[in-house]
Amino acid sequence: MFLFLHKLEALPILGKFTYGGDYIKTDNLNIYDIAKEANVSISTVSRVMNNSGSVSQKTRDKVEAIIKKADYSPNNIARSLASNKSSLIGLLVPDIRNYFHSQACYEIDNLLKDHGYRTLLSNTTKNLDEKIKILKIQKHQMVEGIITIGSDYNEKEFIDEAVELNKTIPIVQLNNYNENLVSVYCDEKDGMDQALAYLRSNNYQKPAFVYITRSKNNRAFNEKKKGYEQALNKYYENKDYIEIFLDDYSYEDLLKKIKAEGIDAIQCENDNIAIKLFKFFTDKGLDVPGDIGIIGFDNQLTTDYTQKRISSIDHKIYDHSKVAVDLLLELINDKEVKRDNVIKPELVVKETT
């Protein structure tokens, strides 16, 4: 058990580290020593440390020089206990390796730094029990807000926990939707509409949708699939719903299916699939986009570094992240916000269509 004493020096712990009010000290100098060396009161040192109250610039410079020499740094735990503010934001992702998840974390972290916040990242995996466990851990870390990233936080049990926690700690869902939580998400259907409209106008006769997601709870995947089907109905007369779950096929079998059914364009669930198919097709001597067109989803940077730049639907990750951060900061400041926030993606045509 830890006992934090505001403005009093506790016992040394973890080698050289000791707690002293709002700061951790990393050598033998404490707040009283700093005051003595600077020939000022302890309260003056505290005002300099916390950037509060009136202190002359000369005195401030003197105290800050001693603090720097002593290697003091902010102790967020002690500060949060004293002020009820931790300046921490919790981020939950199911798989940090996922391009959208990692890029969103990067953008959110940078955006929050501009507002004086730091992020506490948790890779929850897709396991429900682990998601709920980490949500509770973030609460005990005294975060001021939480952003869930990705479309895998849809289970009723998780949503129930999040809605309850949202009563005391504001939560924003990024790329997910629930009517009881503030949500920012992509209009995947619109992205599919753009892609199929483009394929049809460029004389691709028989497109297919290739995917790898298994979970029926994944909002983004479900919207992509529905969007593909609706756009096919809208732009194609034959309306052949060719939907290929990639794990059911070897790449050789997939190629046989493509040739047998006359498929001449593939809309991929994500860019990783598009990159793999592009390499496989070109290795097999197919001309991309002459024999078959390929469109990915996300518009990740790697699509610009293949032999031919891969067309993709831009998810606009920065825009999503900016809106999510702005909404969370409004909630932290007890302001009313719009719960349902939709961002339209954009088809970026490159060299594979």
Side-chain angles (χ1 to χ4, degrees):
M1 183 177 74
F2 293 92
L3 177 64
F4 295 93
L5 302 176
H6 188 55
K7 302 304 179 198
L8 293 178
E9 195 71 9
L11 293 174
I13 61 171
L14 300 178
K16 288 188 175 181
F17 289 88
T18 61
Y19 287 101
D22 285 347
Y23 283 74
I24 291 175
K25 82 186 205 54
T26 55
D27 62 11
N28 293 324
L29 202 64
N30 60 37
I31 191 170
Y32 305 101
D33 297 326
I34 292 171
K36 183 176 180 180
E37 185 170 338
N39 195 28
V40 297
S41 67
I42 295 171
S43 61
T44 297
V45 175
S46 179
R47 286 197 296 272
V48 172
M49 286 179 170
N50 294 289
N51 197 27
S52 63
S54 177
V55 180
S56 71
Q57 191 59 50
K58 181 178 179 181
T59 300
R60 181 177 296 278
D61 291 343
K62 184 194 301 185
V63 172
E64 286 179 346
I66 297 169
I67 289 172
K68 184 176 181 180
K69 180 181 177 182
D71 197 22
Y72 267 65
S73 61
N75 176 2
N76 283 331
I77 297 174
R79 278 187 168 181
S80 63
L81 288 172
S83 66
N84 203 29
K85 290 185 177 294
S86 67
S87 297
L88 287 175
I89 301 298
L91 301 184
L92 271 63
V93 296
D95 187 348
I96 194 62
R97 298 169 300 178
N98 176 283
Y99 179 80
F100 179 85
H101 300 165
S102 60
Q103 287 298 113
C105 284
Y106 172 80
E107 299 292 359
I108 290 169
D109 185 70
N110 281 337
L111 288 164
L112 284 169
K113 282 177 184 174
D114 291 340
H115 295 277
Y117 287 91
R118 290 292 183 266
T119 54
L120 193 61
L121 174 63
S122 294
N123 190 73
T124 66
T125 75
K126 296 182 181 181
N127 179 272
L128 174 60
D129 291 339
E130 192 69 11
K131 292 177 190 177
I132 293 173
K133 177 183 176 182
I134 289 177
L135 189 65
K136 292 177 179 178
I137 289 174
Q138 293 251 346
K139 173 185 177 182
H140 294 303
Q141 292 291 331
M142 301 180 70
V143 297
E144 292 187 45
I146 293 173
I147 299 177
T148 67
I149 300 169
S151 300
D152 289 294
Y153 295 101
N154 280 326
E155 300 95 338
K156 181 181 183 302
E157 297 88 343
F158 179 85
I159 292 297
D160 288 346
E161 289 284 348
V163 170
E164 183 63 27
L165 182 57
N166 189 53
K167 294 175 182 177
T168 53
I169 300 175
I171 296 175
V172 173
Q173 291 191 306
L174 178 56
N175 208 34
N176 208 13
Y177 171 76
N178 183 275
E179 62 183 3
N180 297 310
L181 295 168
V182 174
S183 305
V184 184
Y185 57 97
C186 179
D187 187 350
E188 290 88 359
K189 288 181 181 177
D190 183 78
M192 289 296 178
D193 188 273
Q194 293 178 48
L196 270 290
Y198 175 82
L199 291 174
R200 187 70 187 91
S201 66
N202 284 270
N203 298 316
Y204 287 97
Q205 300 299 315
K206 205 166 187 180
F209 178 56
V210 178
Y211 65 97
I212 200 167
T213 294
R214 293 179 181 274
S215 173
K216 294 180 180 179
N217 287 323
N218 188 294
R219 184 209 62 82
F221 167 71
N222 289 331
E223 292 299 293
K224 290 174 186 177
K225 187 171 180 292
K226 290 176 187 175
Y228 162 77
E229 293 169 355
Q230 290 176 4
L232 196 69
N233 274 329
K234 183 176 178 181
Y235 298 110
Y236 284 85
E237 295 177 1
N238 58 12
K239 299 177 178 57
D240 287 337
Y241 296 107
I242 304 174
E243 298 173 355
I244 300 169
F245 180 53
L246 202 54
D247 281 2
D248 286 344
Y249 295 85
S250 69
Y251 277 58
E252 292 290 346
D253 289 339
L254 176 63
L255 183 57
K256 290 177 184 177
K257 180 178 177 67
I258 288 170
K259 290 180 176 179
E261 299 197 23
I263 297 168
D264 62 355
I266 291 179
Q267 173 60 59
C268 300
E269 178 192 349
N270 58 47
D271 286 336
N272 288 338
I273 296 173
I275 291 168
K276 291 174 184 178
L277 290 183
F278 172 75
K279 184 178 187 309
F280 176 73
F281 291 153
T282 53
D283 286 349
K284 290 297 180 179
L286 271 68
D287 176 56
V288 180
D291 296 325
I292 191 164
I294 300 175
I295 301 177
F297 203 114
D298 280 339
N299 196 33
Q300 57 181 273
L301 291 175
T302 49
T303 59
D304 286 334
Y305 297 107
T306 47
Q307 187 178 5
K308 289 183 179 179
R309 296 166 61 242
I310 296 174
S311 299
S312 186
I313 299 169
D314 192 338
H315 204 131
K316 296 189 177 178
I317 297 175
Y318 175 82
D319 293 351
H320 279 74
S321 302
K322 179 70 165 61
V323 172
V325 167
D326 288 346
L327 289 168
L328 186 66
L329 294 177
E330 293 283 287
L331 290 170
I332 289 173
N333 289 309
D334 296 321
K335 296 181 179 179
E336 291 290 328
V337 301
K338 182 181 176 184
R339 285 181 172 271
D340 190 358
N341 302 272
V342 184
I343 295 175
K344 290 189 179 298
E346 179 184 0
L347 174 65
V348 181
V349 176
K350 303 178 189 175
E351 298 174 296
T352 59
T353 51

